[in-house]
Structures are given as C-alpha cells and as structure tokens.
Amino acid sequence: MLSSSRTAHPGTADSGDRIPVAVHAPDPISREGALSQLRRYPEIDLREESDTGPGRVALFIADTLDEAALTRLRRLVRSEGGRAVLVVGALREAELLDVIECGVGAIVWRQEATAQRLVQAVIAAARGDGDLPADLIGRLVEQVGTLHRSAAGRSGVQTAGLVPREVDVLRLVAEGLDTGEIASKLSYSERTVKNVMHGLTTRLHLRNRAHAVAHALREGYI
C-alpha cells in the first residue's frame, strides 16, 4: 500500500508491539533532535544505531543523498533485512527511483519532520506500507510512466519486463563479471546481487544466469 501523509496520534499504534527504531543521522544535533521527538511515544522502542536487522526500522536522516548514503540505505534494507524511513531535505529526480528500488517505502521531508509525522512514517515502514509526501507520489508516477513509454517505444521490449536495476546487473553478467565484481561496480552487497538475479529468474521463469542474459538480449534490454 502506498499513501500520502496521514495523521498519527501520540500513545497509539496499530500493533500491540513496540517498534524497534534506530536513528541514523549525519551529526549529533540531528540525531538528538529525532530521539527527543520519538521518546514521548510509548509505541517506539529506541535502539542504538548499531542495532540493525529484520524487524528493525532505521530512521535515516540526510540533507541530500550521495552515493555513500544510498549504499548505506541499501545495506540496511537489502543486506540486513530492516525497514527504512528516509528523512531528507531534497531529492533529485534521478534519485527517487533509486531510493524506492533499494527498499525505502517511507520518505519524510526534513522541513515537515514533526514528531507525529516521524511516528506515522515509522509505523508505515514497520508494517511494510508505503508513506510518501503527496508531491513525491506524483513524481514517482510520472517517472514510472516515462520508463514504460520509453520501453514501449523500443522494438520488441515488453513494458512488464526488467526494471533498471535488473538490467544493470545483467549487463555486467553479460560482460563476464562474477557476483563480487558486480556488487563492487554497482555499490551493492553480494547478497543484493544474488537477490536481484533470483528475483528476475523466478519471476520470468528463467533457468540460470545465461538464460537471463539471453532473454535480456532478445528483448532488447542489453
């Protein structure tokens, strides 16, 4: 489920269990500010930044996203199995799909990061729901539509085929790189590369990597 901002209320949660949350911030002031806002909510169980993994929600704060921050988000979600809320000052068009594809479903603008808004996003992330600002939903729909129109305009390409991340991985497979080399090139973990390959081969009923590369070549992706 993907939704725009809703109202959350102190002291309430849709689940009876407290949600373990670790705050990841670029500086002590931002970290303490987020912690002080979240402490008043009994449904939030604040953890140390090093406490990551399945069932944990990482509240990730950044002014802007650089490759290092994006790599860290991928690690938190893809490699360690956690959920993530991104609190960010600005997000470029090219970064939006990257953020969504790496597993972040809840995004909050820093200028809108009130205590209620943060808790709302944390609850959505813990459930596996999406929670994006209304303006980002429009931008996401537009970007996906552009990708589909571009794919439809290429001869032989199916619009429901491969996503950009899968194409990136398959291009490097076709060049003969192994899992570790692909992970290094794309700033992914090796587990993420394996998950990408497993996901596309299962979804498209492909037998192995060579079959996946052949499919991508035949369909015009690489």
Side-chain angles (χ1 to χ4, degrees), residues 115-181:
Q116 287 190 352
R117 183 70 188 90
L118 291 178
V119 172
Q120 169 192 309
V122 165
I123 292 173
R127 288 170 164 176
D129 293 343
D131 187 356
L132 305 182
D135 59 324
L136 273 189
I137 293 177
R139 285 165 58 184
L140 181 60
V141 168
E142 182 178 348
Q143 282 199 40
V144 171
T146 299
L147 285 175
H148 282 186
R149 288 191 296 273
S150 175
R154 296 188 323 217
S155 176
V157 175
Q158 302 172 358
T159 60
L162 303 177
V163 300
R165 181 174 62 172
E166 293 171 338
V167 175
D168 289 341
V169 170
L170 282 177
R171 283 199 183 107
L172 296 178
V173 171
E175 292 175 14
L177 277 65
D178 63 25
T179 299
E181 293 169 329

Coordinates of all heavy atoms in Angstrom, one line a residue, residues 115-181:
A115 N 7.2 15.4 15.2 CA 7.1 14.1 15.9 C 6.0 13.2 15.4 O 6.3 12.0 15.1 CB 6.9 14.4 17.4
Q116 N 4.9 13.8 15.2 CA 3.8 13.0 14.7 C 4.1 12.4 13.3 O 3.7 11.3 13.0 CB 2.5 13.8 14.6 CG 1.8 14.0 16.0 CD 0.5 14.6 15.9 OE1 0.0 15.0 14.9 NE2 -0.2 14.7 17.1
R117 N 4.7 13.2 12.4 CA 5.0 12.8 11.1 C 6.0 11.7 11.1 O 5.9 10.7 10.3 CB 5.5 14.0 10.3 CG 5.7 13.7 8.8 CD 4.5 13.5 8.0 NE 4.7 13.0 6.7 CZ 4.9 11.7 6.3 NH1 4.7 10.8 7.3 NH2 5.1 11.3 5.1
L118 N 7.0 11.8 12.0 CA 8.0 10.7 12.0 C 7.4 9.4 12.5 O 7.7 8.4 12.0 CB 9.1 11.2 13.0 CG 10.1 12.3 12.5 CD1 11.1 12.6 13.6 CD2 10.7 12.0 11.2
V119 N 6.6 9.5 13.6 CA 6.0 8.3 14.1 C 5.1 7.6 13.0 O 5.0 6.4 12.9 CB 5.2 8.5 15.4 CG1 4.4 7.3 15.8 CG2 6.2 8.9 16.5
Q120 N 4.3 8.4 12.3 CA 3.4 7.9 11.2 C 4.3 7.2 10.2 O 3.9 6.1 9.8 CB 2.8 9.1 10.6 CG 2.0 8.8 9.3 CD 1.6 10.1 8.5 OE1 1.0 10.9 9.1 NE2 2.0 10.1 7.3
A121 N 5.4 7.7 9.8 CA 6.2 7.1 8.8 C 6.9 5.8 9.4 O 7.0 4.8 8.7 CB 7.3 8.0 8.3
V122 N 7.3 5.8 10.6 CA 7.8 4.6 11.3 C 6.8 3.5 11.3 O 7.1 2.3 11.0 CB 8.4 4.9 12.7 CG1 8.6 3.7 13.5 CG2 9.6 5.8 12.6
I123 N 5.6 3.8 11.7 CA 4.5 2.8 11.8 C 4.3 2.2 10.4 O 4.2 1.0 10.2 CB 3.3 3.4 12.4 CG1 3.5 3.7 13.9 CG2 2.1 2.4 12.2 CD1 2.3 4.4 14.5
A124 N 4.2 3.1 9.4 CA 4.0 2.6 8.0 C 5.2 1.7 7.6 O 4.9 0.6 7.0 CB 3.9 3.8 7.0
A125 N 6.4 2.1 7.8 CA 7.6 1.3 7.4 C 7.5 -0.1 8.2 O 7.9 -1.1 7.6 CB 8.8 2.0 7.8
A126 N 7.2 -0.1 9.5 CA 7.2 -1.3 10.2 C 6.2 -2.3 9.6 O 6.4 -3.5 9.7 CB 6.9 -1.0 11.7
R127 N 5.1 -1.8 9.1 CA 4.0 -2.6 8.5 C 4.4 -3.1 7.1 O 3.8 -4.0 6.6 CB 2.8 -1.8 8.3 CG 2.0 -1.5 9.6 CD 0.9 -0.5 9.2 NE -0.1 -0.4 10.2 CZ -1.1 0.5 10.1 NH1 -1.1 1.3 9.0 NH2 -2.0 0.5 11.0
G128 N 5.4 -2.4 6.5 CA 5.7 -2.7 5.1 C 4.9 -1.9 4.1 O 4.9 -2.2 2.9
D129 N 4.2 -0.9 4.7 CA 3.4 0.0 3.8 C 4.3 1.1 3.2 O 5.4 1.3 3.6 CB 2.3 0.7 4.6 CG 1.2 -0.3 5.1 OD1 1.2 -1.4 4.5 OD2 0.5 0.0 6.0
G130 N 3.7 1.8 2.2 CA 4.4 3.0 1.7 C 3.8 4.2 2.3 O 2.6 4.3 2.6
D131 N 4.7 5.2 2.5 CA 4.2 6.5 3.0 C 5.1 7.6 2.4 O 6.2 7.9 2.9 CB 4.3 6.5 4.6 CG 3.7 7.8 5.2 OD1 3.3 8.7 4.4 OD2 3.6 7.8 6.4
L132 N 4.6 8.2 1.4 CA 5.4 9.3 0.7 C 4.6 10.6 0.7 O 3.4 10.6 0.7 CB 5.6 8.9 -0.8 CG 6.2 7.6 -1.1 CD1 6.4 7.4 -2.6 CD2 7.6 7.4 -0.4
P133 N 5.4 11.7 0.7 CA 4.7 13.0 0.6 C 3.9 13.0 -0.7 O 4.3 12.4 -1.7 CB 5.9 14.0 0.6 CG 7.0 13.3 1.2 CD 6.8 11.8 0.9
A134 N 2.8 13.7 -0.7 CA 1.9 13.8 -1.9 C 2.7 14.2 -3.2 O 2.4 13.7 -4.2 CB 0.7 14.7 -1.6
D135 N 3.6 15.2 -3.0 CA 4.3 15.6 -4.2 C 5.2 14.6 -4.8 O 5.4 14.5 -6.0 CB 5.0 16.9 -3.9 CG 6.1 16.8 -2.8 OD1 5.8 16.1 -1.9 OD2 7.1 17.4 -2.9
L136 N 5.8 13.7 -3.9 CA 6.6 12.7 -4.4 C 5.9 11.6 -5.1 O 6.4 10.9 -6.0 CB 7.4 12.1 -3.2 CG 8.8 12.7 -2.9 CD1 9.5 11.9 -1.9 CD2 9.6 13.0 -4.1
I137 N 4.6 11.3 -4.6 CA 3.8 10.3 -5.3 C 3.6 10.7 -6.7 O 3.7 9.9 -7.7 CB 2.5 10.1 -4.6 CG1 2.7 9.5 -3.2 CG2 1.5 9.2 -5.4 CD1 1.4 9.3 -2.4
G138 N 3.3 11.9 -7.0 CA 3.1 12.4 -8.3 C 4.4 12.3 -9.2 O 4.3 11.9 -10.3
R139 N 5.5 12.6 -8.6 CA 6.8 12.5 -9.3 C 7.1 11.0 -9.6 O 7.6 10.7 -10.7 CB 7.9 13.1 -8.5 CG 7.9 14.6 -8.5 CD 8.8 15.2 -7.4 NE 10.2 14.8 -7.5 CZ 11.1 15.2 -6.6 NH1 10.8 15.9 -5.6 NH2 12.3 14.7 -6.8
L140 N 6.8 10.1 -8.7 CA 7.1 8.7 -8.9 C 6.2 8.2 -10.0 O 6.7 7.4 -10.9 CB 6.8 7.9 -7.6 CG 7.1 6.4 -7.6 CD1 8.5 6.2 -8.0 CD2 6.7 5.8 -6.3
V141 N 4.9 8.5 -10.0 CA 4.0 8.0 -11.0 C 4.5 8.5 -12.4 O 4.5 7.8 -13.4 CB 2.6 8.5 -10.8 CG1 1.7 8.2 -12.0 CG2 2.0 7.7 -9.6
E142 N 4.9 9.8 -12.5 CA 5.4 10.3 -13.7 C 6.7 9.6 -14.2 O 6.8 9.3 -15.4 CB 5.7 11.8 -13.6 CG 6.1 12.5 -14.8 CD 6.4 14.0 -14.6 OE1 6.0 14.5 -13.6 OE2 6.9 14.6 -15.5
Q143 N 7.6 9.3 -13.3 CA 8.8 8.6 -13.7 C 8.6 7.2 -14.2 O 9.1 6.8 -15.2 CB 9.8 8.6 -12.5 CG 10.5 9.9 -12.3 CD 11.8 9.6 -11.4 OE1 12.5 8.7 -11.6 NE2 12.0 10.5 -10.5
V144 N 7.7 6.5 -13.5 CA 7.4 5.1 -13.9 C 6.7 5.2 -15.3 O 7.0 4.4 -16.2 CB 6.5 4.4 -12.9 CG1 6.0 3.1 -13.4 CG2 7.3 4.2 -11.6
G145 N 5.8 6.1 -15.5 CA 5.1 6.3 -16.8 C 6.1 6.6 -17.9 O 6.0 6.0 -19.0
T146 N 7.1 7.4 -17.6 CA 8.1 7.7 -18.6 C 8.9 6.5 -19.0 O 9.2 6.2 -20.1 CB 9.1 8.8 -18.1 OG1 8.3 10.0 -17.8 CG2 10.2 9.1 -19.1
L147 N 9.3 5.7 -17.9 CA 10.0 4.4 -18.2 C 9.2 3.5 -19.0 O 9.7 2.8 -20.0 CB 10.4 3.8 -16.9 CG 11.5 4.4 -16.1 CD1 11.7 3.7 -14.8 CD2 12.8 4.3 -16.9
H148 N 7.9 3.4 -18.7 CA 7.1 2.4 -19.5 C 6.9 2.9 -20.9 O 7.0 2.1 -21.9 CB 5.7 2.3 -18.8 CG 5.7 1.4 -17.6 ND1 4.6 1.1 -17.0 CD2 6.7 0.8 -17.0 CE1 4.9 0.3 -15.9 NE2 6.2 0.1 -15.9
R149 N 6.8 4.2 -21.1 CA 6.6 4.7 -22.5 C 7.9 4.5 -23.3 O 7.9 4.2 -24.5 CB 6.3 6.2 -22.5 CG 4.8 6.5 -22.0 CD 4.4 7.9 -22.3 NE 5.2 8.9 -21.5 CZ 4.9 9.2 -20.3 NH1 3.9 8.8 -19.7 NH2 5.7 10.1 -19.6
S150 N 9.1 4.7 -22.6 CA 10.3 4.5 -23.3 C 10.5 3.1 -23.7 O 11.0 2.7 -24.8 CB 11.5 4.9 -22.4 OG 12.7 4.7 -22.9
A151 N 10.2 2.2 -22.8 CA 10.3 0.7 -23.1 C 9.3 0.3 -24.2 O 9.7 -0.4 -25.1 CB 10.0 -0.1 -21.8
A152 N 8.1 0.9 -24.2 CA 7.1 0.5 -25.2 C 7.6 1.0 -26.6 O 7.2 0.4 -27.6 CB 5.8 1.1 -24.8
G153 N 8.4 2.1 -26.6 CA 8.8 2.6 -27.9 C 10.0 1.9 -28.5 O 10.3 2.1 -29.6
R154 N 10.6 0.9 -27.7 CA 11.7 0.2 -28.3 C 11.2 -1.1 -28.8 O 10.4 -1.8 -28.2 CB 12.7 -0.1 -27.2 CG 13.4 1.1 -26.6 CD 14.5 0.8 -25.7 NE 14.2 -0.4 -24.8 CZ 14.6 -0.5 -23.6 NH1 15.2 0.5 -23.0 NH2 14.3 -1.6 -22.9
S155 N 11.6 -1.4 -30.0 CA 11.1 -2.6 -30.7 C 11.4 -3.9 -29.9 O 12.5 -4.1 -29.5 CB 11.7 -2.8 -32.1 OG 11.4 -4.0 -32.7
G156 N 10.3 -4.7 -29.7 CA 10.5 -6.0 -29.0 C 10.6 -5.9 -27.5 O 10.8 -7.0 -26.9
V157 N 10.5 -4.8 -26.9 CA 10.7 -4.7 -25.4 C 9.3 -4.7 -24.8 O 8.4 -4.0 -25.1 CB 11.4 -3.4 -25.0 CG1 11.5 -3.3 -23.5 CG2 12.8 -3.4 -25.6
Q158 N 9.1 -5.6 -23.7 CA 7.9 -5.7 -23.0 C 7.9 -4.7 -21.8 O 8.9 -4.6 -21.1 CB 7.7 -7.1 -22.5 CG 7.7 -8.1 -23.6 CD 7.8 -9.5 -23.0 OE1 7.8 -9.7 -21.8 NE2 7.7 -10.5 -23.8
T159 N 6.8 -4.0 -21.6 CA 6.8 -3.0 -20.6 C 6.8 -3.6 -19.2 O 7.1 -3.0 -18.2 CB 5.5 -2.1 -20.7 OG1 4.4 -2.9 -20.7 CG2 5.6 -1.3 -22.0
A160 N 6.4 -4.9 -19.1 CA 6.3 -5.5 -17.8 C 7.5 -6.4 -17.6 O 7.5 -7.4 -16.8 CB 5.0 -6.4 -17.7
G161 N 8.7 -6.1 -18.3 CA 9.8 -7.0 -18.2 C 10.8 -6.6 -17.1 O 10.4 -6.8 -15.9
L162 N 12.0 -6.1 -17.4 CA 13.0 -5.9 -16.4 C 13.0 -4.5 -15.9 O 12.7 -3.6 -16.7 CB 14.4 -6.2 -17.1 CG 14.6 -7.6 -17.7 CD1 15.9 -7.7 -18.3 CD2 14.4 -8.7 -16.6
V163 N 13.3 -4.3 -14.6 CA 13.5 -3.0 -14.1 C 14.9 -2.5 -14.2 O 15.8 -3.4 -14.5 CB 13.1 -3.0 -12.6 CG1 11.6 -3.4 -12.4 CG2 14.0 -3.9 -11.7
P164 N 15.2 -1.2 -14.1 CA 16.6 -0.7 -14.4 C 17.6 -1.4 -13.6 O 18.7 -1.7 -14.1 CB 16.5 0.7 -14.0 CG 15.0 1.1 -14.3 CD 14.2 -0.1 -13.9
R165 N 17.4 -1.8 -12.3 CA 18.4 -2.4 -11.5 C 18.7 -3.8 -12.1 O 19.9 -4.2 -12.1 CB 17.9 -2.5 -10.1 CG 18.9 -3.2 -9.1 CD 18.5 -3.2 -7.7 NE 17.2 -3.9 -7.5 CZ 16.7 -4.2 -6.3 NH1 17.3 -3.7 -5.2 NH2 15.6 -4.8 -6.2
E166 N 17.7 -4.5 -12.6 CA 18.0 -5.8 -13.1 C 18.8 -5.7 -14.4 O 19.7 -6.5 -14.7 CB 16.6 -6.5 -13.4 CG 15.9 -6.9 -12.1 CD 14.5 -7.4 -12.4 OE1 13.9 -7.1 -13.5 OE2 13.9 -8.1 -11.5
V167 N 18.5 -4.7 -15.2 CA 19.2 -4.5 -16.5 C 20.7 -4.2 -16.1 O 21.6 -4.7 -16.8 CB 18.6 -3.4 -17.3 CG1 19.5 -3.0 -18.5 CG2 17.2 -3.7 -17.7
D168 N 20.9 -3.4 -15.1 CA 22.3 -3.0 -14.7 C 23.1 -4.3 -14.4 O 24.3 -4.5 -14.8 CB 22.3 -2.0 -13.6 CG 21.9 -0.7 -14.0 OD1 21.9 -0.4 -15.2 OD2 21.5 0.1 -13.0
V169 N 22.5 -5.2 -13.6 CA 23.1 -6.4 -13.1 C 23.4 -7.3 -14.4 O 24.5 -7.8 -14.5 CB 22.3 -7.1 -12.1 CG1 22.9 -8.5 -11.8 CG2 22.3 -6.3 -10.8
L170 N 22.4 -7.4 -15.2 CA 22.5 -8.3 -16.4 C 23.6 -7.9 -17.3 O 24.3 -8.7 -18.0 CB 21.2 -8.5 -17.1 CG 20.2 -9.5 -16.4 CD1 18.9 -9.5 -17.1 CD2 20.8 -10.9 -16.3
R171 N 23.7 -6.5 -17.5 CA 24.8 -6.0 -18.4 C 26.2 -6.5 -17.9 O 27.0 -6.9 -18.7 CB 24.7 -4.5 -18.4 CG 23.6 -3.9 -19.3 CD 23.9 -2.5 -19.7 NE 22.8 -1.9 -20.4 CZ 21.9 -1.1 -20.0 NH1 22.0 -0.6 -18.7 NH2 21.0 -0.6 -20.7
L172 N 26.4 -6.5 -16.6 CA 27.7 -6.9 -16.1 C 27.8 -8.4 -16.1 O 29.0 -8.9 -16.3 CB 27.8 -6.3 -14.6 CG 27.8 -4.8 -14.5 CD1 27.9 -4.3 -13.1 CD2 29.0 -4.2 -15.4
V173 N 26.7 -9.1 -15.9 CA 26.8 -10.6 -16.1 C 27.2 -10.9 -17.5 O 28.1 -11.8 -17.7 CB 25.5 -11.2 -15.8 CG1 25.5 -12.7 -16.2 CG2 25.1 -11.1 -14.3
A174 N 26.6 -10.2 -18.5 CA 27.0 -10.4 -19.9 C 28.4 -10.1 -20.2 O 29.0 -10.7 -21.1 CB 26.1 -9.6 -20.8
E175 N 29.0 -9.2 -19.4 CA 30.5 -8.9 -19.6 C 31.4 -9.9 -18.9 O 32.6 -9.7 -19.0 CB 30.7 -7.5 -19.1 CG 30.0 -6.4 -19.9 CD 30.2 -5.0 -19.3 OE1 31.1 -4.8 -18.4 OE2 29.5 -4.1 -19.7
G176 N 30.8 -10.9 -18.2 CA 31.6 -11.9 -17.6 C 32.0 -11.7 -16.1 O 32.8 -12.4 -15.6
L177 N 31.4 -10.6 -15.5 CA 31.8 -10.3 -14.1 C 31.1 -11.3 -13.2 O 30.0 -11.7 -13.4 CB 31.4 -8.9 -13.8 CG 32.4 -7.8 -14.1 CD1 32.5 -7.7 -15.6 CD2 32.0 -6.4 -13.5
D178 N 31.8 -11.6 -12.1 CA 31.2 -12.5 -11.1 C 30.4 -11.7 -10.1 O 30.3 -10.4 -10.1 CB 32.2 -13.4 -10.4 CG 33.3 -12.6 -9.6 OD1 32.9 -11.5 -9.2 OD2 34.4 -13.1 -9.4
T179 N 29.8 -12.3 -9.1 CA 28.9 -11.6 -8.2 C 29.6 -10.6 -7.4 O 29.1 -9.4 -7.2 CB 28.3 -12.7 -7.2 OG1 27.5 -13.6 -7.9 CG2 27.4 -12.0 -6.2
G180 N 30.8 -10.9 -6.9 CA 31.6 -9.9 -6.1 C 31.9 -8.7 -7.0 O 31.9 -7.5 -6.5
E181 N 32.3 -8.9 -8.2 CA 32.7 -7.8 -9.1 C 31.5 -6.9 -9.4 O 31.6 -5.7 -9.5 CB 33.4 -8.3 -10.4 CG 34.7 -9.0 -10.1 CD 35.2 -9.7 -11.3 OE1 34.4 -10.3 -12.1 OE2 36.5 -9.8 -11.5

